[in-house]
């Protein structure tokens, strides 16, 4: 690359991969050497591993939201979405949040579109359930739980009361288990505020199609997690699926059925469907085909010039695994590390230097099951309850992007160690204009 030329790197997505790739490129290359454009419809990046604590009221929503405009200095932030991408012509069509269409050429493109919730054609799912992948969903579920506790306290019909106090999670990976655990604790604190209710009336149901929960923490800790959940009164149904939830009636494959006002779907993720608007080579499950150097590759394994991919939307081979072929799991740990290497590789490519392979041996996994409880496996050492919970908080607090957010999170945790958790439902914010709308309606006589 000549010193007089400025390469253009187009980064599609402002999540872990997008943010850390942009940071890495700015560290490796000056603004005169590379122009960076990050395409993202949201104004912020969400640190998703802490969404359960947002739902449980241990953190406020702003704690896990990183302002992209503030974080991405000397980077062009395009607020909008990808409409189409031609990797052969190195051209993209974007739609801004204003609705304007923009064509953009590039020298290198980074596919960092992440993943979305994976669903199945379950009757009633779209009408009665909610996912747990975004900050907005975490806030909504928190308010849904608290509002239903309040509804139960005001209900005169036992059936309505039971329905309001029944909470269902579908999917028992660590996201589902962590979120349920936090919300279970929150619901107990909320019930304590109403003399007419008792904790024994709460019904939490966890549905999992496989034979174990939280498989990410290993076989033994997974078994311990199952025992811990059941000890806390949670009804865990293994090898069970939800056949339908029409009109909030949960019908299970084991023959049981009941009504629940709150149904949360955490049964896995899939690559962002925005990839359908591209001609990028993809695997059988929709992931972008990539090699260990994080280059997009065609069906013959040849790199696609100027195209890179990492994170949840990519299928990156794990060359460290004993059994091959193997691929890295979709988690924040890999997304961040891949993004840092990806930035170095793009810089090396621009300077004509060799690029490196991504090789990372996981040091373990951590999971929080509410204050003082959790499971972790660190370099083969298994931890339970308070030690695991402490490691989980330390890791995620330090891993959250920007010092501003780190300090905010640790300060919030410290404050909550000496104050009661807020259990006030704020469901009115779902329709903030409702009160104003009613105030300008003609007075009815």
């Amino acid at each position: 690359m000549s010193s007089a030329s400025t390469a253009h790197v187009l980064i599609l997505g402002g999540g872990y991969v997008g943010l850390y790739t942009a940071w890495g490129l700015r560290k490796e290359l000056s603004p005169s050497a590379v122009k960076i454009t990050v395409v993202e419809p949201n104004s912020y990046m969400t640190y998703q591993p802490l969404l359960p604590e947002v739902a449980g009221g241990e953190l406020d929503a702003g704690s896990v939201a990183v302002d992209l405009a503030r974080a991405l200095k000397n980077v062009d932030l395009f607020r909008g979405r990808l409409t189409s991408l031609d990797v052969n012509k190195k051209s993209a069509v974007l739609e801004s949040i204003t609705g304007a269409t923009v064509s953009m050429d590039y020298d290198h493109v980074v596919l960092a579109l992440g993943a979305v919730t994976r669903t199945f054609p379950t009757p009633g799912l779209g009408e009665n359930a909610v996912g747990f992948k975004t900050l907005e969903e975490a806030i909504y579920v928190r308010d849904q739980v608290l509002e239903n506790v309040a509804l139960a306290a005001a209900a005169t019909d036992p059936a309505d009361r039971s329905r309001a106090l029944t909470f269902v999670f579908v999917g028992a990976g660590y996201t589902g288990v962590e979120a349920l655990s936090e919300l279970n604790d929150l619901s107990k604190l909320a019930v304590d505020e109403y003399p007419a209710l008792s904790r024994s009336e709460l019904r939490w149901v966890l549905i999992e199609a496989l034979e174990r929960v939280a498989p990410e923490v290993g076989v033994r800790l997974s078994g311990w997690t199952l025992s811990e959940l059941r000890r806390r009164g949670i009804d865990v149904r293994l090898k069970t699926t939800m056949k339908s939830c029409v009109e909030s009636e949960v019908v299970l494959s084991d023959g049981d059925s009941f009504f629940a006002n709150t149904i949360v779907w955490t049964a896995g993720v899939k690559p962002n469907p925005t990839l359908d608007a591209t001609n990028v080579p993809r695997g059988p499950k929709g992931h972008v085909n990539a090699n260990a150097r994080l280059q997009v590759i065609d069906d013959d394994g040849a790199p696609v010039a100027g195209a890179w991919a990492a994170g949840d939307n990519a299928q990156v081979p794990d060359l460290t695994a004993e059994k091959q072929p193997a691929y890295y799991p979709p988690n924040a740990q890999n997304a961040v590390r891949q993004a840092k290497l990806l930035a170095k590789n793009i810089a090396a490519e621009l300077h004509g230097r060799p690029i490196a392979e991504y090789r990372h041996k996981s040091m373990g996994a951590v999971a929080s099951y509410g204050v003082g409880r959790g499971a972790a496996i660190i370099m083969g050492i298994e931890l339970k309850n308070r030690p695991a919970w402490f490691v989980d908080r330390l890791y995620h607090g330090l891993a959250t992007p920007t010092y501003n957010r780190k300090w905010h999170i640790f300060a919030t945790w410290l404050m909550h160690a000496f104050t009661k958790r807020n259990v006030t439902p704020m469901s009115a914010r779902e329709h903030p204009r409702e009160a104003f709308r009613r105030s300008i309606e003609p007075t009815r006589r």
Side-chain angles (χ1 to χ4, degrees):
M1 183 181 67
S2 68
S3 58
S5 64
T6 300
H8 182 204
V9 178
L10 178 63
I11 301 175
L12 301 175
Y16 303 107
V17 174
L19 179 64
Y20 280 90
T21 299
W23 276 350
L25 285 170
R26 268 293 156 255
K27 182 179 180 181
E28 296 286 332
L29 300 164
S30 68
S32 62
V34 62
K35 174 186 176 182
I36 305 169
T37 302
V38 174
V39 180
E40 171 60 45
N42 294 320
S43 62
Y44 56 88
M45 173 264 188
T46 302
Y47 187 73
Q48 293 177 344
L50 289 177
L51 287 183
E53 297 218 11
V54 173
E58 281 294 298
L59 290 172
D60 59 81
S63 300
V64 301
V66 178
D67 187 300
L68 290 175
R70 176 179 291 181
L72 295 174
K73 299 300 183 184
N74 296 315
V75 172
D76 292 337
L77 176 61
F78 183 94
R79 291 284 307 282
R81 302 177 183 276
L82 176 72
T83 299
S84 66
L85 174 71
D86 189 327
V87 292
N88 299 318
K89 296 180 179 179
K90 293 189 175 182
S91 178
V93 178
L94 311 173
E95 181 183 354
S96 77
I97 56 174
T98 66
T101 299
V102 177
S103 295
M104 192 173 291
D105 295 330
Y106 61 83
D107 296 291
H108 293 268
V109 64
V110 176
L111 292 147
L113 294 165
V116 300
T117 301
R118 179 190 62 188
T119 59
F120 302 103
T122 305
L125 187 65
E127 297 79 13
N128 301 298
V130 62
F132 200 86
K133 189 76 171 62
T134 68
L135 181 57
E136 293 79 8
E137 287 173 334
I139 297 169
Y140 174 84
V141 173
R142 176 185 182 275
D143 286 337
Q144 177 80 351
V145 169
L146 295 176
E147 187 66 30
N148 273 280
V149 171
L151 285 173
T156 57
D157 186 334
D160 290 341
R161 185 179 177 120
S162 174
R163 178 172 176 156
L165 293 177
T166 300
F167 308 95
V168 177
F169 266 72
V170 182
Y174 67 78
T175 297
V177 173
E178 286 186 318
L180 180 148
S181 297
E182 288 282 356
L183 287 160
N184 176 253
D185 287 349
L186 182 69
S187 68
K188 291 176 181 176
L189 295 175
V191 161
D192 291 346
E193 300 298 319
Y194 296 93
L197 300 178
S198 69
R199 292 187 176 189
S200 62
E201 295 179 86
L202 289 166
R203 184 183 185 188
W204 286 84
V205 184
L206 178 59
I207 302 166
E208 171 55 50
L210 301 180
E211 59 186 6
R212 60 190 176 120
V213 303
E216 298 86 353
V217 296
V219 176
R220 285 188 297 186
L221 282 177
S222 172
W224 175 83
T225 298
L226 176 62
S227 299
E228 175 69 9
L229 291 173
R230 287 176 169 164
R231 186 188 66 80
R232 292 164 67 176
I234 296 165
D235 181 2
V236 182
R237 309 286 184 96
L238 300 179
K239 297 182 180 180
T240 305
T241 59
M242 184 174 70
K243 296 175 65 176
S244 70
C245 57
V246 176
E247 296 183 353
S248 297
E249 181 182 12
V250 177
V251 179
L252 304 180
S253 60
D254 62 8
D256 194 9
S257 65
F258 49 87
F259 287 92
N261 283 354
T262 306
I263 304 170
V264 185
W265 183 273
T266 59
V269 297
K270 64 180 180 180
N272 195 318
T274 302
L275 291 169
D276 295 340
T278 75
N279 60 353
V280 176
R282 296 162 68 186
K285 295 184 179 180
H287 298 82
V288 178
N289 286 333
N291 61 20
R293 295 178 177 85
L294 306 176
Q295 298 167 298
V296 175
I297 56 175
D298 61 23
D299 294 338
D300 296 324
V304 176
W308 309 78
D312 294 0
N313 71 176
Q315 184 172 266
V316 179
D318 180 0
L319 302 182
T320 68
E322 295 181 4
K323 187 177 180 180
Q324 296 291 332
Y327 302 94
Y328 285 101
N331 57 36
Q333 182 180 159
N334 282 308
V336 171
R337 286 175 168 81
Q338 288 171 5
K340 292 178 179 180
L341 176 64
L342 197 155
K344 292 180 181 294
N345 279 353
I346 292 177
E349 181 93 348
L350 291 173
H351 286 295
R353 298 195 301 263
I355 59 177
E357 293 180 335
Y358 178 72
R359 292 174 180 266
H360 171 64
K361 193 72 174 179
S362 176
M363 296 179 65
V366 293
S368 171
Y369 303 150
V371 177
R373 290 172 289 195
I377 179 167
I378 309 297
M379 299 181 68
I381 300 174
E382 295 181 348
L383 303 174
K384 301 175 184 176
N385 283 327
R386 191 166 293 276
W389 172 77
F390 178 79
V391 171
D392 177 271
R393 283 204 160 183
L394 181 64
Y395 172 79
H396 287 304
L398 293 175
T400 303
T402 77
Y403 287 109
N404 181 287
R405 294 299 87 193
K406 295 180 200 295
W407 285 115
H408 188 90
I409 286 172
F410 282 118
T412 302
W413 281 336
L414 180 62
M415 178 186 69
H416 283 174
F418 301 98
T419 60
K420 289 185 177 181
R421 204 181 312 191
N422 182 13
V423 293
T424 304
M426 299 290 290
S427 54
R429 60 186 163 189
E430 294 171 40
H431 306 284
R433 296 183 67 250
E434 182 62 21
F436 179 72
R437 184 189 63 79
R438 284 185 293 182
S439 71
I440 62 177
E441 287 182 347
T443 304
R444 295 178 181 176
R445 295 182 182 275

